[in-house]
């Protein structure tokens, strides 16, 4: 093989890893197993792979606007402790596909590696940035002359294009699914009040409940007292003994029959609390959550129904769009926001309430 024709996919195939792993090894990102890193370095040396001046697959020479052939994924708020997290793996999967199609390589940088300024951009190691999880003043200014695209930001007024998961729509559809299964007393549960993604899921829930005249504030647990550090993944399940106790004290006619939970991690905490209090899932309380983390959803008993968040697709579309902006010199004259809907993965945590039960509740004056 001519060394000038070697691309990142060739290196990945030679090393027996994904293109995302190759990217993380070459950028020095944490979270790569030592044996995988060694195989990547060996493949790079054997094949003579070079990261600069890459050309798009299936095309002639690289567009003149490509100076490095690299895209950067920058997460200004997240710490390197997120490396290897399942949700971030989904982002890497989307970037793998986009880079394989466009001929770009990608580098990864977490916020705790700099001071609000991505080193890979300051040091001219990338041709553009994918920005996830927050925006710094430097980014707002630099985007005027440096290509950027937001990945699942959902921040109004950003001066560059965004590709997002439609969490508001997903919250609405998750609630609607419970309603179709006969539930009318539907609660919402989260242990974090200030995370934009979780708030949008709640807003979708509230929109459905209010539009069907079912909303009741007593069935919403969205605390405003806990200041969670969003820069690191949660390591402990939340305990919901007090809120479940309050709901059950409402009596059989008014307690919830189902609950929409802000994410899979909170749902795992709910499962533990329900077990301590002797509340059966789904016999007494149906549960639906978000993110569809298979390692967690399939482990829980019963299996957790969860809305699949299309982070891989969002990352793919954002990266392809960024590559096009770089190659064609597109400017963000009118920033565009594109939202991608997810889909529900059904397991065993939701049961259907019979029409007789629903009718009995409504005839008793219970919505």
């Amino acid at each position: 093989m001519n060394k000038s024709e070697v691309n990142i996919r060739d290196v990945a195939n030679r090393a027996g890893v994904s293109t995302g792993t190759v990217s993380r090894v070459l950028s020095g990102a944490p979270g790569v197993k030592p044996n995988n890193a060694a195989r990547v370095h060996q493949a790079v040396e054997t094949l003579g792979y070079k990261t600069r001046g890459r050309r798009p697959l299936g095309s002639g020479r690289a567009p003149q606007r490509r100076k490095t052939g690299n895209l950067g994924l920058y997460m200004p708020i997240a710490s390197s402790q997120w490396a290897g997290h399942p949700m971030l793996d989904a982002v890497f999967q989307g970037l793998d596909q986009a880079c394989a199609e466009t001929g770009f390589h990608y580098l990864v940088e977490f916020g705790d590696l700099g001071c609000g300024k991505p080193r890979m951009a300051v040091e001219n190691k990338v041709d553009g940035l994918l920005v996830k999880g927050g925006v710094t003043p430097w980014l707002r200014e630099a985007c005027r002359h440096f290509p950027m695209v937001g990945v699942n930001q959902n921040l109004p007024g950003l001066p560059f294009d965004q590709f997002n998961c439609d969490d508001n729509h997903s919250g609405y559809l998750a609630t609607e699914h419970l309603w179709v299964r006969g539930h009318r007393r539907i609660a919402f549960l989260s242990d974090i009040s200030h995370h934009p993604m979780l708030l949008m899921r709640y807003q979708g829930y509230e929109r459905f409940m209010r539009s069907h005249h079912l909303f009741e504030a007593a069935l919403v647990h969205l605390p405003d007292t806990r200041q969670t550090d969003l820069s690191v993944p949660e390591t402990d399940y939340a305990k919901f003994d007090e809120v479940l106790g309050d709901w059950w004290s409402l009596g059989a006619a008014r307690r919830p029959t189902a609950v929409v939970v802000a994410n899979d991690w909170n749902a795992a905490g709910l499962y533990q609390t329900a077990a301590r209090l002797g509340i059966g899932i789904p016999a007494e309380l149906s549960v639906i959550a978000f993110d569809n983390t298979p390692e967690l959803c399939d482990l829980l008993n019963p299996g957790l129904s969860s809305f699949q968040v299309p982070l891989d697709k969002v990352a793919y579309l954002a990266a392809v769009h960024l590559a096009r902006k770089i190659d064609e010199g597109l400017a963000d004259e009118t920033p565009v926001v594109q939202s991608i809907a997810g889909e529900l993965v059904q397991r065993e945590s939701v049961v259907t309430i019979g029409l007789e039960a629903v009718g009995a509740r409504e005839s008793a004056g219970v919505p």
Side-chain angles (χ1 to χ4, degrees):
M1 179 183 294
N2 189 325
K3 291 185 178 182
S4 65
E5 298 297 322
V6 176
N7 59 50
I8 189 174
R9 182 64 66 183
D10 298 324
V11 175
N13 290 339
R14 179 85 177 199
V17 299
S18 70
T19 55
T21 297
V22 175
S23 295
R24 297 197 287 281
V25 169
L26 297 182
S27 66
V32 179
K33 295 180 180 178
N35 60 329
N36 287 344
R39 290 205 302 269
V40 169
H41 287 303
Q42 181 61 48
V44 167
E45 181 178 352
T46 301
L47 298 175
Y49 176 70
K50 299 184 183 301
T51 61
R52 299 183 65 87
R54 305 307 303 150
R55 70 177 190 172
L57 299 180
S59 74
R61 63 185 178 83
Q64 292 182 356
R65 291 187 177 90
R66 295 194 187 190
K67 299 177 181 178
T68 68
N70 297 328
L71 306 178
L73 173 63
Y74 180 52
M75 292 166 280
I77 295 178
S79 75
S80 53
Q81 293 184 44
W82 280 97
H85 191 277
M87 292 188 67
L88 198 53
D89 283 344
V91 173
F92 292 148
Q93 290 172 16
L95 297 185
D96 288 346
Q97 182 182 353
C99 287
E101 293 180 9
T102 63
F104 273 97
H105 180 78
Y106 71 89
L107 310 181
V108 181
E109 186 174 327
F110 295 91
D112 61 356
L113 302 180
C115 300
K117 298 180 181 180
R119 292 185 302 174
M120 55 186 169
V122 173
E123 297 173 2
N124 298 315
K125 294 181 178 179
V126 294
D127 295 327
L129 284 176
L130 297 163
V131 183
K132 184 180 187 304
V135 180
T136 66
W138 184 92
L139 290 169
R140 288 185 179 273
E141 179 61 30
C143 72
R144 301 177 186 276
H145 52 82
F146 193 75
M148 294 185 195
V149 176
V151 179
N152 207 33
Q153 290 279 53
N154 281 309
L155 295 176
L158 281 187
F160 47 82
D161 297 335
Q162 302 179 62
F163 287 79
N164 301 321
C165 299
D166 195 339
D167 286 293
N168 188 299
H169 190 61
S170 297
Y172 186 98
L173 291 179
T175 312
E176 182 181 56
H177 176 76
L178 294 172
W179 184 85
V180 169
R181 299 288 294 269
H183 297 277
R184 298 297 182 265
R185 304 285 299 169
I186 304 172
F188 184 90
L189 182 68
S190 175
D191 72 331
I192 301 174
S193 64
H194 57 289
H195 194 298
M197 179 175 64
L198 306 188
L199 282 172
M200 292 185 70
R201 294 170 182 177
Y202 167 72
Q203 289 164 357
Y205 155 85
E206 182 176 346
R207 179 160 58 97
F208 182 90
M209 295 297 284
R210 288 192 182 278
S211 66
H212 288 73
H213 308 288
L214 298 171
F215 180 80
E216 186 173 342
L219 299 186
V220 173
H221 182 72
L222 195 66
D224 58 6
T225 56
R226 180 180 175 186
Q227 296 299 312
T228 303
D229 183 2
L230 301 181
S231 69
V232 297
E234 288 189 276
T235 56
D236 298 318
Y237 295 138
K239 295 179 174 63
F240 297 110
D241 298 69
E242 183 177 352
V243 62
L244 275 185
D246 289 343
W247 286 348
W248 248 244
S249 70
L250 296 173
R254 303 204 65 82
R255 68 177 60 136
T257 63
V259 57
V260 177
V261 187
N263 59 22
D264 297 338
W265 193 259
N266 273 196
L270 172 65
Y271 269 55
Q272 290 187 342
T273 299
R276 285 195 298 271
L277 300 182
I279 298 172
I281 297 176
E284 296 177 272
L285 185 67
S286 288
V287 181
I288 194 169
F290 302 87
D291 296 336
N292 188 42
T293 310
E295 303 91 317
L296 189 56
C297 296
D298 291 331
L299 178 65
L300 293 172
N301 186 22
L304 175 64
S305 291
S306 184
F307 228 87
Q308 175 72 55
V309 180
L311 274 173
D312 54 345
K313 186 174 182 179
V314 166
Y316 164 78
L317 292 173
V320 169
H321 184 64
L322 179 59
R324 181 167 173 259
K325 289 179 66 175
I326 293 168
D327 290 343
E328 301 179 18
L330 301 180
D332 292 309
E333 296 180 359
T334 305
V336 174
V337 178
Q338 182 172 339
S339 296
I340 313 300
E343 61 180 350
L344 177 64
V345 178
Q346 298 187 51
R347 295 184 179 86
E348 300 80 37
S349 63
V350 176
V351 294
T352 299
I353 294 181
L355 295 179
E356 300 83 0
V358 174
R361 291 168 65 87
E362 293 179 346
S363 64
V366 180

